[in-house]
Amino acid sequence: MNDLIWVAIPLFVIAIVVEFVILRRGAQLRGGPVKGYEQSDTVASLAMGLGNVAISAAWKVVPIGAYFVVYEHAGWFRDFLAPDHWWAWVLLFFGDDFCYYWFHRAGHRVRFAWAGHVNHHSSQHYNLSTALRQSWTSPLYKFFFYLPLPLLGFHPLMILAMQTISLVYQFWIHTEAIDRMPAWFEAVFNTPSHHRVHHGSNPIYIDRNYGGFLILFDKWFGTFEPESEPVRYGLVNNIDTFNPLRIAFHAWGTLLTDMRNSSSMKNALGHFFLYPAWRPADEPPHAVPIENERY
């Protein structure tokens, strides 16, 4: 299903150009700069997206293999959830979004996962190119969060298809060109308004709206926040770079330094697995406080 991503790339580029033209026209009418776009930032986002696609393609044998091992050796309800049953796809739609919610939530609340996800929040702009600013390391462990699906009996190729569809869906919600969708749509689905909140560094917006397709799991698990004030995009302490290598790995460098300087193995593991701002009482403060990146 990675083929679908490659097919979608030209469409993504066309959509970015169309959005830019719309925003430029708006800027001309109000006599100001083009809101939301900066050339170096856009190039960095495109570079991050291409890197993510290449790494995901090279690594895909691992998640596919893991899904098939679990599916073949367990697959509790394989017959009921066979690909030729329409209800299997409906259930998978919700199952995939449930797994994505927890993968995404972990990406903000577990430090090693945040090190992989932080790059997606590093742009101080919000536009369709921001959607392509994807991680180079999250694909290495993302599949762990989806193992319940083959365990239940969803075929691995179904899972890959739904993951790709969800990823394509999430592209269009990275825009300021759309204010609000109809109320019924906003109540159920993830939208540009909901996802603008997720990318905000405003205190009330941090760690909110993790959904992929749906906003329902955020409402059920207490992480929903409506858009109520202008969004300030980026990190609390922005990294101010357009270098893709630094964007991709700066948080990993800080994490590994903290682990190496830890006073015990317990503390080193705490740095890796606990929330990003965690710091043991017997160690000095961060040279650059991790909480200033997001928390």
Side-chain angles (χ1 to χ4, degrees):
M1 290 302 299
N2 271 344
D3 291 343
L4 179 57
I5 293 296
W6 287 105
V7 170
I9 287 175
L11 301 179
F12 291 163
V13 173
I14 292 171
I16 290 170
V17 172
V18 170
E19 181 191 40
F20 176 78
V21 170
I22 292 173
L23 293 175
R24 185 176 64 177
R25 177 58 176 165
Q28 291 172 341
L29 291 175
R30 67 174 183 270
V34 177
K35 183 179 180 182
Y37 272 93
E38 181 181 351
Q39 181 176 331
S40 297
D41 180 81
T42 300
V43 171
S45 294
L46 294 176
M48 295 301 298
L50 290 174
N52 171 270
V53 171
I55 291 168
S56 297
W59 181 252
K60 67 179 179 180
V61 65
V62 175
I64 291 175
Y67 293 156
F68 269 106
V69 168
V70 174
Y71 178 78
E72 294 294 341
H73 288 83
W76 295 335
F77 309 108
R78 275 185 289 182
D79 292 339
F80 178 74
L81 297 174
D84 57 345
H85 295 156
W86 65 265
W87 57 82
W89 290 95
V90 174
L91 293 173
L92 178 59
F93 172 81
F94 288 98
D96 170 85
D97 215 64
F98 180 80
C99 292
Y100 177 82
Y101 172 87
W102 289 106
F103 160 70
H104 196 181
R105 185 165 176 171
H108 287 253
R109 301 306 297 154
V110 179
R111 188 168 174 193
F112 84 85
W114 173 243
H117 182 61
V118 62
N119 69 275
H120 186 61
H121 289 267
S122 61
S123 175
Q124 297 177 53
H125 303 281
Y126 192 74
N127 53 61
L128 293 177
S129 76
T130 307
L132 306 182
R133 187 176 287 227
Q134 294 293 321
S135 174
W136 291 1
T137 54
S138 294
L140 304 182
Y141 53 82
K142 179 179 180 180
F143 69 94
F144 282 104
F145 290 86
Y146 290 82
L147 290 177
L149 298 179
L151 182 65
L152 287 171
F154 291 105
H155 192 280
L157 296 184
M158 293 175 65
I159 298 169
L160 294 175
M162 192 60 68
Q163 287 176 341
T164 304
I165 293 169
S166 176
L167 184 62
V168 171
Y169 175 86
Q170 291 177 61
F171 172 76
W172 78 278
I173 61 178
H174 291 81
T175 186
E176 293 186 286
I178 298 173
D179 182 21
R180 295 289 198 281
M181 300 297 290
W184 66 268
F185 197 93
E186 294 279 346
V188 176
F189 294 99
N190 199 6
T191 66
S193 177
H194 297 328
H195 205 59
R196 285 193 291 268
V197 166
H198 179 71
H199 276 258
S201 60
N202 314 43
I204 65 168
Y205 290 161
I206 291 176
D207 289 351
R208 292 294 182 263
N209 299 1
Y210 297 116
F213 256 113
L214 304 170
I215 203 64
L216 296 177
F217 293 119
D218 285 286
K219 293 181 176 181
W220 294 342
F221 294 117
T223 54
F224 174 69
E225 182 69 36
E227 186 178 17
S228 58
E229 66 182 44
V231 183
R232 184 173 64 252
Y233 300 110
L235 305 171
V236 174
N237 183 37
N238 289 297
I239 59 175
D240 295 323
T241 182
F242 301 116
N243 184 329
L245 290 175
R246 189 179 171 207
I247 292 171
F249 298 115
H250 78 278
W252 283 105
T254 307
L255 168 57
L256 295 176
T257 297
D258 283 338
M259 294 181 68
R260 185 175 62 250
N261 295 335
S262 292
S263 57
S264 67
M265 179 60 72
K266 178 181 177 181
N267 285 350
L269 293 174
H271 283 303
F272 194 78
F273 288 108
L274 297 181
Y275 58 93
W278 180 83
R279 193 74 178 177
D282 60 345
E283 293 184 11
H286 294 279
V288 177
I290 278 294
E291 60 266 31
N292 283 351
E293 285 198 335
R294 189 70 180 169
Y295 298 93

